Amino acid sequence: MVRRAVSATLILTLGLVATAALAAQRPQQDAGWEAFDFLTGEWVAEGSGTPGEATGGFSFSFDLDGKILVRRNRADYPPTKDKPAYVHTDLMVIHRERDGTTRATYFDNEGHVINYAVSFSKDQSSITFLSEALLSAPRYRFIYSKQGKDRLRLEFDIAPPGKPEAFSKYVEGVAHRKSEAK
């Protein structure tokens, strides 16, 4: 009888440990974030634009028990005749406001801090990050568009101060999801 109780306890304990281990491997995500699922994971990217050709990558992952989505980005720019090689890194935290709107705050190694409103296209195939229109500062727009399950098109546009809708393409590129290790 004692042996059966110990065996049952051991099986129950192993089951709980296995369940906890599986839960720890899966990123937690609050309800209402499903539209962002196409972004989650690690991505390899390449692009071009005003700063030049670049390669790099980014990731989107949920954090703080699924309350926020965090993007980490790195772009490597090779040297040109006009400037040496350099690396651009940034971090963006996507979060929900109390009123239910989605916002994002962006930080980079050049000292920029940009606040974005976040919206999806009607068909949920693209997401747009749009900064506030200010008379004395540029306006920024970043768009991720689905190009299949594991591909994205990226576009970063800038409008000059005082002309908040006069966007010009600054950087554009493509990204593909990193393959899972098998």
Side-chain angles (χ1 to χ4, degrees):
M1 182 76 148
V2 171
R3 186 180 249 166
R4 282 188 191 166
V6 169
S7 294
T9 302
L10 181 60
I11 290 170
L12 179 61
T13 301
L14 289 174
L16 290 172
V17 168
T19 301
L22 285 174
Q25 290 175 351
R26 268 184 305 217
Q28 292 183 357
Q29 170 181 340
D30 271 5
W33 286 96
E34 296 81 12
F36 291 86
D37 283 348
F38 78 95
L39 293 174
T40 60
E42 292 190 39
W43 298 85
V44 176
E46 56 186 46
S48 62
T50 302
E53 300 281 321
T55 59
F58 56 90
S59 65
F60 280 92
S61 60
F62 286 95
D63 207 330
L64 298 180
D65 297 328
K67 303 283 189 255
I68 62 170
L69 182 61
V70 177
R71 183 190 77 147
R72 296 179 188 281
N73 177 62
R74 177 186 173 110
D76 296 296
Y77 291 89
T80 66
K81 64 180 179 104
D82 299 323
K83 59 185 168 189
Y86 69 99
V87 175
H88 171 89
T89 57
D90 61 69
L91 171 78
M92 184 163 49
V93 178
I94 304 163
H95 57 92
R96 294 266 167 71
E97 296 287 330
R98 288 187 179 166
D99 66 3
T101 60
T102 304
R103 307 272 309 156
T105 305
Y106 165 98
F107 310 89
D108 70 20
N109 63 334
E110 298 171 26
H112 297 106
V113 177
I114 305 170
N115 293 303
Y116 287 106
V118 180
S119 63
F120 283 91
S121 61
K122 286 184 183 185
D123 66 358
Q124 304 274 307
S125 67
S126 66
I127 183 171
T128 300
F129 297 85
L130 183 63
S131 70
E132 191 177 358
L134 302 171
L135 287 176
S136 61
R139 189 173 195 197
Y140 304 99
R141 179 175 64 191
F142 203 131
I143 303 168
Y144 288 93
S145 301
K146 292 182 200 178
Q147 303 289 295
K149 182 179 179 263
D150 295 319
R151 256 180 103 68
L152 294 173
R153 184 176 157 281
L154 320 167
E155 182 178 326
F156 182 63
D157 306 320
I158 301 176
K163 297 182 180 182
E165 300 304 321
F167 286 104
S168 295
K169 196 173 305 322
Y170 186 71
V171 173
E172 63 183 334
V174 294
H176 66 273
R177 194 182 304 274
K178 273 189 179 180
S179 300
E180 296 286 328
K182 297 187 181 181

